[in-house]
Amino acid sequence: MNTIIEKVQLSSSKNVTFTLKENAVNIFEEPQNSLWTFDLAGRLVGMFIDYKNYRRTLNNKYYLKSRFTIENEQFRDIKQIPIDKIKPLIEQSHILIRNNQNRLSNVFHDPLENILKMDSTTLQNSAKEFNNIYLPISILPPDQYMSLVIQFTEGCNYNKCTFCNFYRDRPFKIKSADELEIHLSKVKSFFGEGINLRKSIFLADANALAVPQNRLINGLKLIHNHFPQFKNYYSFIDVFTGLKKSANDFKQLSKLGIKRVYLGVESGNSDLMLFLNKHQLNKDIIELTHKLKNGGIDIGIIFLIGAGGSKYAEQHLLDSVKLLEQLPLGKEDIIYLSELYDTNSNYEKSMAEQNIPLPTRQEIRKWSNEFKSKLKKQYFKNIQVSVYDINQFFY
Ligand code: SF4
């Protein structure tokens, strides 16, 4: 479908533009420069009002995104906004629709009616439905925030890293074929036309590739039957279970759509890895990445910047770069630098036990910049290196 743009003049100096795309509806009001974005099921996705950037999650939480600068470094911030403060902002868009929909072409009728149906009660009910289908979606890689999440597995089969609280609330579990079938049907019915906004499939939670090969293949086929429109699949992977698969296994998965997997390497420094209670070995990371690339699967490598604070910072960088030099990465792969500034009590306790002060965000950013410039200058000119701020994750 081509994008359809229609502008309505409200007065000599005011107008509102309605844009219908194949995956979303935008309403843009001038001269205020207010913008609302909805999916085709009518759910608000985000809005930009009074120069403030708001995002809505599928469980009906609202966040204000902002940036601040300290010593020429820019940081991002988010703050949850209570629903009663958000309601009037959504209502503004509904008023614009009600007052102007008769002046628009017929093609706008259904998408705008969908938006009007999504009043605050309906949005709240939609959140309840979402929470019945999914366990909390703790994290995705930044390039997968707009994916369609399928919780083929729940939790993390390792679940022991001190810095990570993502899946402490649930045991690791692989959905049976019947459970997966039910999950897929519910996901399909929940998203409705809003599914057009989703760009790929992400197999959650921490490590769906831990599923034994035959069950994984059958699961991928089932997902494909329900969602044939998605060609590319993504997932986290871990060294512990990933190594159980061969390059040929990965080749099979690649043929079934697995495009890229994301590996939490964290650091190339083995002392730091012990400190973080993540007992993976560099030789295993090297072996796994070679198997993946031989199987035709791209890789996202995640380093944990700031982990172990000043005590480990220098060796963390040096050993991580040394490890990277041995990985078969190319321009289709990504290196993520995840800045560890929002920690948990377990991690803080282990830092205190070693008398390591918790680093400030500026210190972590300094290490992150050093990491980035070393990678860019010396070894990985062609590979995308990006900061991964887990606090900016919304779903
Ligand atoms: S960092 Fe990854 S492997 Fe470690 S507990 Fe968290 S999800 Fe599991």
Side-chain angles (χ1 to χ4, degrees):
M1 178 184 131
N2 293 330
T3 298
I4 300 166
I5 303 171
E6 294 189 12
K7 194 182 249 193
V8 180
Q9 198 75 34
L10 301 179
S11 69
S12 58
S13 60
K14 280 186 174 185
N15 58 62
V16 56
T17 306
F18 294 83
T19 305
L20 178 60
K21 302 184 199 164
E22 63 178 7
N23 58 3
V25 176
N26 289 332
I27 301 175
F28 181 58
E29 188 186 28
E30 292 171 292
Q32 297 90 331
N33 289 338
S34 301
L35 174 72
W36 294 262
T37 301
F38 302 87
D39 68 19
L40 293 184
R43 293 184 194 99
L44 180 76
V45 177
M47 50 192 177
F48 184 76
I49 296 175
D50 290 335
Y51 301 95
K52 293 191 180 113
N53 192 0
Y54 300 89
R55 281 293 312 273
R56 175 184 179 272
T57 65
L58 290 169
N59 64 351
N60 208 31
K61 302 266 187 296
Y62 296 84
Y63 293 91
L64 176 62
K65 296 179 77 171
S66 59
R67 290 169 192 258
F68 63 96
T69 306
I70 307 176
E71 294 164 5
N72 292 328
E73 274 299 328
Q74 217 177 63
F75 298 89
R76 289 163 185 241
D77 202 13
I78 59 157
K79 194 166 111 196
Q80 192 173 345
I81 306 293
I83 291 185
D84 58 334
K85 292 234 160 51
I86 289 290
K87 268 188 199 166
L89 305 182
I90 300 180
E91 183 53 24
Q92 279 181 38
S93 67
H94 287 204
I95 291 170
L96 286 171
I97 295 172
R98 281 195 290 266
N99 289 347
N100 297 292
Q101 70 187 145
N102 290 342
R103 308 189 206 178
L104 301 171
S105 336
N106 281 344
V107 69
F108 279 94
H109 181 267
D110 290 353
L112 293 182
E113 280 302 313
N114 285 348
I115 295 172
L116 291 178
K117 275 184 214 149
M118 284 284 173
D119 57 13
S120 51
T121 313
T122 315
L123 284 173
Q124 201 51 44
N125 289 338
S126 158
K128 277 190 201 144
E129 188 186 348
F130 177 78
N131 292 333
N132 281 331
I133 298 169
Y134 288 101
L135 289 177
I137 297 167
S138 309
I139 189 69
L140 295 176
D143 57 303
Q144 292 302 310
Y145 288 177
M146 292 313 292
S147 62
L148 179 72
V149 171
I150 301 298
Q151 263 170 342
F152 191 169
T153 63
E154 295 170 1
C156 165
N157 59 319
Y158 183 68
N159 222 6
K160 287 190 278 210
C161 307
T162 45
F163 60 89
C164 172
N165 269 2
F166 285 144
Y167 306 105
R168 293 283 197 248
D169 61 342
R170 66 197 84 163
F172 181 70
K173 179 191 156 159
I174 302 172
K175 282 194 169 73
S176 69
D178 286 349
E179 288 169 325
L180 182 59
E181 181 87 54
I182 292 168
H183 180 66
L184 295 171
S185 304
K186 287 182 176 174
V187 168
K188 194 174 197 169
S189 131
F190 170 78
F191 277 91
E193 290 179 80
I195 209 160
N196 291 11
L197 200 55
R198 305 289 144 185
K199 295 185 163 64
S200 52
I201 299 251
F202 193 88
L203 305 174
D205 279 331
N207 176 356
L209 292 206
V211 177
Q213 186 73 357
N214 283 342
R215 278 178 80 180
L216 186 52
I217 288 173
N218 290 337
L220 287 171
K221 288 180 179 165
L222 209 53
I223 299 170
H224 185 75
N225 288 344
H226 280 259
F227 302 106
Q229 67 271 48
F230 294 103
K231 303 291 172 235
N232 293 330
Y233 289 53
Y234 299 81
S235 168
F236 287 115
I237 191 168
D238 71 74
V239 168
F240 313 111
T241 57
L243 272 181
K244 292 182 183 160
K245 293 198 179 354
S246 65
N248 269 341
D249 289 336
F250 289 127
K251 220 172 257 174
Q252 270 182 310
L253 298 179
S254 162
K255 280 190 188 138
L256 288 165
I258 302 272
K259 178 95 182 94
R260 179 186 295 120
V261 294
Y262 302 82
L263 179 62
V265 165
E266 324 306 355
S267 175
N269 180 258
S270 46
D271 292 336
L272 176 54
M273 294 306 284
L274 282 180
F275 173 69
L276 299 173
N277 203 30
K278 191 163 186 175
H279 299 170
Q280 64 190 16
L281 302 174
N282 285 351
K283 74 170 183 49
D284 291 339
I285 293 169
I286 296 166
E287 188 184 337
L288 176 60
T289 50
H290 276 87
K291 278 183 178 181
L292 285 164
K293 293 302 283 189
N294 288 337
I297 294 181
D298 299 335
I299 307 173
I301 296 279
I302 304 158
F303 286 105
L304 197 59
I305 309 303
S310 52
K311 176 171 175 183
Y312 291 93
E314 196 180 335
Q315 218 44 50
H316 179 14
L317 170 60
L318 292 175
D319 291 345
S320 297
V321 171
K322 255 189 229 162
L323 172 61
L324 270 175
E325 285 178 281
Q326 298 170 74
L327 306 187
L329 302 181
K331 62 178 183 347
E332 57 292 335
D333 301 305
I334 305 179
I335 298 171
Y336 279 121
L337 306 179
S338 173
E339 297 181 348
L340 181 67
Y341 62 89
D342 193 9
T343 53
N344 64 54
S345 56
N346 272 345
Y347 175 79
E348 286 168 17
K349 196 166 147 235
S350 55
M351 290 286 275
E353 278 165 5
Q354 292 213 9
N355 288 322
I356 312 171
L358 285 174
T360 61
R361 274 187 86 170
Q362 294 98 296
E363 278 178 290
I364 296 171
R365 178 56 58 81
K366 183 175 112 327
W367 296 324
S368 187
N369 288 341
E370 284 170 6
F371 230 97
K372 211 179 211 170
S373 72
K374 198 157 182 76
L375 295 185
K376 280 288 168 197
K377 264 190 215 143
Q378 285 180 247
Y379 306 103
F380 298 100
K381 286 197 180 73
N382 300 323
I383 299 180
Q384 186 188 326
V385 181
S386 302
V387 170
Y388 180 170
D389 186 345
I390 59 171
N391 282 26
Q392 295 294 312
F393 168 64
F394 302 96
Y395 192 73

